[in-house]
Amino acid sequence: MKRVGHIFDELISDANLSKAIDEVNRTHHWKARHKPNKTTAWVELTKADRITVLREIITSGFNQRPPRIIERYDASARKWRIISEPIQWPDQYIHHALIQVIQLVLMRGMDLYCCGSIRGRGTHYAKKAIEKWMSNDKKGTRYCLTADIKHFYDSLRPEVVMSRMRELIKDRRILDLIERITSDGIKIGAYPSQWFANTTLQPLDHMIRQSGLCSRYVRYMDNITVFGANKRHLRKLKKMIAMWLKDHKLELKGDWQIFPVIGERRPNGRMPNAVGYRYGRGYTILRKHNLFRLKKAIREYRKREGKISPRAAESILSRLGQLKHCNNTQIYKEMFRGEHIIKALKQYVRKKRKGLMTWNMYLEKLKETA
């Protein structure tokens, strides 16, 4: 693939830096507990000056500051995650400006079913593809291989990422900026990390496609789901994946599985499990753990006689939203029993939002006092 060069001037252009400022500010109007973000307001009011300063920082050699470290419990994965939140000014603005310029380069040759952290390729994009394969290609989905990369972000080394970047980009100033951003590792929470991670695994996607050992394949970040008509072919493919990861200083998690998929001739087979759902021939249901958490939240709501916090109401509504994308008739009958729970939960959320001032009001107030 031909490498791309001469893109540094586009990186520091007024249009690109202005777009990066707008993109970051769009999601940073409020802080925790809905306090107005002063950094965002300051950047908005002095946007022309901020563009000039960003250009000077990038051209003189950008050195990012230590990020804010947050430890959060991921209930869906049932494990603690360490989130690295970069400093908003100037780090996040430079990160977005860089990705805006190289995004098309990183997506060249990207697999059609490389999903996760890419706009338009979320969980439902992968889910619809698997549902289509399960319904229309029974022969090609007789067996399933599911695998995961062990501690993917923590194990992904900067030199491996830079090796992949040099295969795509030849502009030395862009490569120098990428090397400065990845010098401390590929961190969860940094905007460029998700792009670098997906791009690094592109050769793995091509190897799996070109091996001829599978019929269907989808990857959601580091979660791999492969379908095939032959179990021996999937075992051979699993070894190839493990060898490729080893060559790139990564490791396949030990809980990989190859199993027959449920069907008319295989009533004792299993349902593939991916992106929060389980898939049968012509129907889709929630993962057991997600369904368990939903039922537990509904029981807690009934135990408190409907008196819960707005944040808890938002959490339950978010979980109920998953039911819209699967076969849910029986679940609704079992859980709700004719109750108008969703309507009551939405009222709690409306009460929370009722007293909040809008961002426009806050911005106009700052302009008047400036």
Side-chain angles (χ1 to χ4, degrees):
M1 183 181 294
K2 188 176 180 180
R3 296 189 300 164
V4 176
H6 307 292
I7 54 177
F8 186 79
D9 292 337
E10 183 182 352
L11 168 66
I12 60 175
S13 65
D14 289 353
N16 185 58
L17 295 178
S18 176
K19 183 180 178 182
I21 289 175
D22 293 339
E23 189 65 23
V24 174
N25 289 350
R26 183 176 61 85
T27 56
H28 286 74
H29 288 162
W30 302 96
K31 283 187 175 181
R33 298 183 181 178
H34 295 275
K35 294 180 180 179
N37 190 322
K38 295 182 180 179
T39 301
T40 301
W42 168 66
V43 172
E44 285 282 355
L45 294 175
T46 60
K47 186 175 180 180
D49 295 334
R50 295 312 105 211
I51 291 174
T52 303
V53 174
L54 281 177
R55 185 182 296 109
E56 293 175 356
I57 293 174
I58 295 173
T59 53
S60 62
F62 167 65
N63 292 309
Q64 60 184 5
R65 291 180 290 173
R68 178 190 176 198
I69 304 299
I70 306 171
E71 194 172 8
R72 293 178 181 173
Y73 183 73
D74 187 347
S76 60
R78 286 169 280 183
K79 61 183 178 182
W80 288 91
R81 295 190 185 275
I82 298 177
I83 310 298
S84 300
E85 183 182 350
I87 305 300
Q88 184 174 344
W89 173 265
D91 296 23
Q92 291 190 27
Y93 296 98
I94 294 177
H95 290 171
H96 277 75
L98 171 64
I99 296 301
Q100 286 170 183
V101 170
I102 66 174
Q103 180 175 338
L104 294 178
V105 180
L106 302 182
M107 292 192 70
R108 285 196 313 172
M110 181 174 286
D111 190 83
L112 180 62
Y113 293 107
C114 168
C115 309
S117 301
I118 301 173
R119 187 168 294 178
R121 296 193 186 186
T123 56
H124 296 299
Y125 180 85
K127 169 182 165 291
K128 289 178 181 178
I130 297 175
E131 288 176 336
K132 181 180 178 181
W133 300 336
M134 290 289 291
S135 298
N136 302 335
D137 188 9
K138 295 182 180 180
K139 182 179 179 180
T141 56
R142 287 177 180 175
Y143 296 94
C144 180
L145 162 64
T146 59
D148 193 4
I149 301 176
K150 185 177 181 180
H151 302 301
F152 178 44
Y153 277 95
D154 297 334
S155 304
L156 189 57
R157 301 189 181 183
E159 57 266 26
V160 176
V161 175
M162 288 306 304
S163 176
R164 176 60 180 162
M165 290 298 108
R166 293 188 186 98
E167 294 176 358
L168 303 173
I169 302 170
K170 62 181 178 181
D171 192 317
R172 293 184 180 180
R173 291 179 291 182
I174 293 289
L175 290 172
D176 176 68
L177 179 59
I178 295 175
E179 191 167 9
R180 290 172 181 270
I181 291 175
T182 60
S183 59
D184 297 330
I186 311 302
K187 305 294 185 181
I188 298 178
Y191 181 59
S193 295
Q194 58 203 32
W195 285 97
F196 296 152
N198 268 325
T199 306
T200 303
L201 293 181
Q202 277 186 25
L204 174 64
D205 299 335
H206 296 162
M207 185 201 71
I208 294 174
R209 291 285 184 192
Q210 297 168 7
S211 67
L213 300 175
C214 67
S215 56
R216 306 293 181 179
Y217 166 64
V218 62
R219 176 174 61 81
Y220 189 86
M221 289 306 296
D222 61 330
N223 296 305
I224 298 170
T225 305
V226 186
F227 293 96
N230 191 307
K231 183 185 288 188
R232 287 176 295 177
H233 287 177
L234 291 183
R235 286 175 179 168
K236 185 177 179 180
L237 180 60
K238 176 261 168 186
K239 292 180 181 178
M240 292 175 60
I241 294 172
M243 289 297 298
W244 188 94
L245 293 175
K246 186 177 180 181
D247 293 341
H248 292 78
K249 301 177 183 179
L250 297 169
E251 183 182 352
L252 198 65
K253 203 171 179 180
D255 61 352
W256 62 271
Q257 298 178 16
I258 298 176
F259 55 87
V261 176
I262 191 171
E264 295 177 0
R265 298 183 180 181
R266 293 181 177 83
N268 296 326
R270 292 169 51 189
M271 301 176 66
N273 189 339
V275 293
Y277 296 91
R278 291 179 291 164
Y279 306 90
R281 301 293 184 186
Y283 63 94
T284 305
I285 59 178
L286 274 180
R287 287 180 60 188
K288 288 184 178 179
H289 181 66
N290 291 355
L291 183 59
F292 171 77
R293 289 165 55 201
L294 175 58
K295 289 183 176 181
K296 184 178 179 181
I298 295 296
R299 286 198 301 269
E300 189 70 20
Y301 171 81
R302 289 197 176 101
K303 187 184 295 184
R304 297 186 179 184
E305 298 179 351
K307 298 179 181 178
I308 60 175
S309 65
R311 185 174 181 180
E314 289 176 344
S315 176
I316 297 175
L317 285 172
S318 177
R319 299 190 192 285
L320 288 172
Q322 289 184 304
L323 295 179
K324 296 180 181 179
H325 304 281
C326 64
N327 299 83
N328 54 32
T329 304
Q330 191 60 34
I331 299 176
Y332 272 115
K333 289 181 180 179
E334 180 183 346
M335 287 194 306
F336 298 153
R337 299 192 294 269
E339 300 177 65
H340 298 287
I341 293 179
I342 297 179
K343 185 176 179 179
L345 291 171
K346 287 183 177 180
Q347 289 179 353
Y348 280 103
V349 176
R350 289 191 189 101
K351 289 180 182 178
K352 175 185 176 181
R353 297 175 178 174
K354 188 176 181 180
L356 293 176
M357 61 179 176
T358 64
W359 165 251
N360 290 333
M361 293 171 58
Y362 178 69
L363 187 58
E364 290 299 327
K365 186 177 179 181
L366 283 176
K367 289 181 179 179
E368 291 174 2
T369 57

